[in-house]
Amino acid sequence: MEISNLTSIHPDYFLLMGIPGLEESPLLLSIPFFVMYVTSLLGNSILILVIGLNKTLQQPMYLFMMMLAICDILLSSTTVPKTLSIFWFNCQKISFTGCLVQTFFIHFSFGTESAILLSMAYDRFCAICRPLTYSSNLTSSLILKLLVFALSRSVFMVTPFVFLLDRLPYQNSIVIEHTYCEHMSMARLATADILVNVVYGLIIAACATGVDIILIVLSYIVIIRAVLRLRSSEARHKAFNTCVSHVCVIILFYTPAFFSFIAHRVGHKYVTLQVHILVANLYVLVPPMMNPIIYGVRTREIRQRVFAMLCSMKARDLYINRFLDK
């Protein structure tokens, strides 16, 4: 398919083709996508509301949870609505600028969430390895600095992606075999050398995400050593239990992202395009959906506040109904 404006190096729009090979069953795909997206929005919104309205929960661990929930909403909302519009209305067009904006926010959300997960690992390190100085170490000022660092780092490392993509000519094809725009899927359509894009992507992956993963692993090595030194089995169980939720979230977040990164580099020789795109969609759906569930189920304070909020809402509805019946 040829682009309509041959006088420009940029097309007016791209066409997102969805998931190759599954075009005949859009409704079958859209139902789980829609359910997971709504669950993600509800779960993360409840988590933000519960932590934001309860002063007793405005502690480092819970504040990091709230930041993670905001990132999850941004990540899924950047991609899933467009994906559903492809499935439901065959709305494949996305403007060139819209594609760049979507690319920016996808990578921005990923970078910010990675930094927040690292901050949460530091929180667990301080809580278990340095409990006596926990409050003095993780002050409100430090938490604010960590948030500013996470946002600033993401902006500085993702903004060059936009300029690197904008400089490329796209004069052969406007078809993106994906459900959303991201750096490499756009770069591969260019009719010029994309070596700079590939190298910069590798540098960012190594210097940002790679460093985050290494520091998280090192922090948990120290944490495990500290926990195993505890004499009480009950204390060891309690310490490990506080880390399980965070470890589950880390695995859910990095595994599909790592798979997608490898798939882009090895091409479709070992990973089919269909599998690659499905996993890429699971990456923006499953972690945002599961994170509030994991924290809600495994964190007693969160669970109690959610039940209390639901009970108060039910009691208020009963009172209103009785008042209206009079």
Side-chain angles (χ1 to χ4, degrees):
M1 187 177 296
E2 299 294 329
I3 61 176
S4 59
N5 185 5
L6 295 177
T7 62
S8 172
I9 64 171
H10 296 156
D12 295 329
Y13 59 86
F14 287 112
L15 292 177
L16 294 169
M17 300 309 293
I19 303 176
L22 299 177
E23 297 91 344
E24 301 301 323
S25 53
L27 183 61
L28 186 63
L29 283 171
S30 67
I31 292 173
F33 275 50
F34 178 73
V35 170
M36 286 191 283
Y37 179 56
V38 172
T39 304
S40 169
L41 290 181
L42 287 175
N44 286 293
S45 297
I46 290 172
L47 195 63
I48 293 168
L49 189 63
V50 167
I51 296 173
L53 293 179
N54 289 272
K55 292 185 177 179
T56 55
L57 293 182
Q58 292 176 12
Q59 303 170 21
M61 180 175 70
Y62 302 110
L63 292 175
F64 288 133
M65 286 183 194
M66 187 166 66
M67 295 176 200
L68 196 68
I70 294 171
C71 275
D72 283 336
I73 290 176
L74 178 62
L75 178 61
S76 58
S77 296
T78 300
T79 58
V80 181
K82 182 59 182 178
T83 301
L84 291 175
S85 74
I86 296 172
F87 292 153
W88 289 341
F89 311 112
N90 199 29
C91 184
Q92 297 175 323
K93 282 187 180 181
I94 183 170
S95 67
F96 180 81
T97 302
C99 213
L100 289 179
V101 170
Q102 193 178 51
T103 297
F104 175 86
F105 280 107
I106 289 170
H107 293 286
F108 171 82
S109 302
F110 179 84
T112 304
E113 192 155 339
S114 182
I116 292 172
L117 289 174
L118 175 58
S119 300
M120 294 176 82
Y122 177 68
D123 169 75
R124 293 299 83 204
F125 166 78
C126 291
I128 294 174
C129 300
R130 299 176 180 175
L132 298 179
T133 59
Y134 177 75
S135 299
S136 58
N137 283 336
L138 277 169
T139 61
S140 299
S141 175
L142 179 60
I143 293 172
L144 180 60
K145 290 177 182 177
L146 290 173
L147 176 60
V148 171
F149 166 75
L151 295 173
S152 302
R153 189 189 72 167
S154 296
V155 170
F156 285 126
M157 76 178 187
V158 173
T159 300
F161 280 139
V162 176
F163 290 105
L164 287 173
L165 291 171
D166 186 63
R167 73 183 177 87
L168 293 173
Y170 303 86
Q171 296 175 318
N172 283 344
S173 175
I174 57 171
V175 176
I176 297 178
E177 292 182 316
H178 212 306
T179 55
Y180 57 80
C181 302
E182 52 91 35
H183 177 232
M184 287 307 298
S185 64
M186 283 188 68
R188 291 187 188 282
L189 293 182
T191 53
D193 185 19
I194 61 170
L195 180 61
V196 176
N197 296 68
V198 174
V199 171
Y200 182 73
L202 289 171
I203 291 172
I204 290 300
C207 296
T209 309
V211 170
D212 289 348
I213 294 173
I214 290 171
L215 291 176
I216 289 171
V217 170
L218 290 176
S219 68
Y220 269 100
I221 290 173
V222 177
I223 288 170
I224 291 171
R225 289 181 60 187
V227 171
L228 292 177
R229 290 174 182 172
L230 296 174
R231 295 181 179 181
S232 169
S233 59
E234 184 179 348
R236 287 197 297 270
H237 175 75
K238 185 177 179 180
F240 275 127
N241 195 50
T242 62
C243 298
V244 168
S245 299
H246 185 227
V247 172
C248 291
V249 169
I250 289 171
I251 293 172
L252 277 173
F253 178 73
Y254 284 114
T255 302
F258 181 75
F259 177 89
S260 183
F261 175 82
I262 294 298
H264 268 307
R265 270 67 194 176
V266 302
H268 305 306
K269 183 178 179 180
Y270 303 104
V271 180
T272 65
L273 184 61
Q274 187 181 83
V275 172
H276 179 199
I277 296 175
L278 276 172
V279 173
N281 278 277
L282 291 177
Y283 156 66
V284 300
L285 278 166
V286 176
M289 178 188 69
M290 291 302 300
N291 290 350
I293 295 174
I294 291 170
Y295 284 121
V297 170
R298 296 201 58 85
T299 309
R300 180 170 55 86
E301 291 80 3
I302 296 289
R303 191 168 61 248
Q304 289 176 344
R305 296 302 189 283
V306 171
F307 286 149
M309 184 178 70
L310 293 176
C311 290
S312 64
M313 289 174 62
K314 185 177 180 180
R316 184 184 62 187
D317 290 342
L318 289 173
Y319 176 80
I320 292 173
N321 290 334
R322 288 178 182 177
F323 177 78
L324 293 174
D325 290 339
K326 291 182 179 180

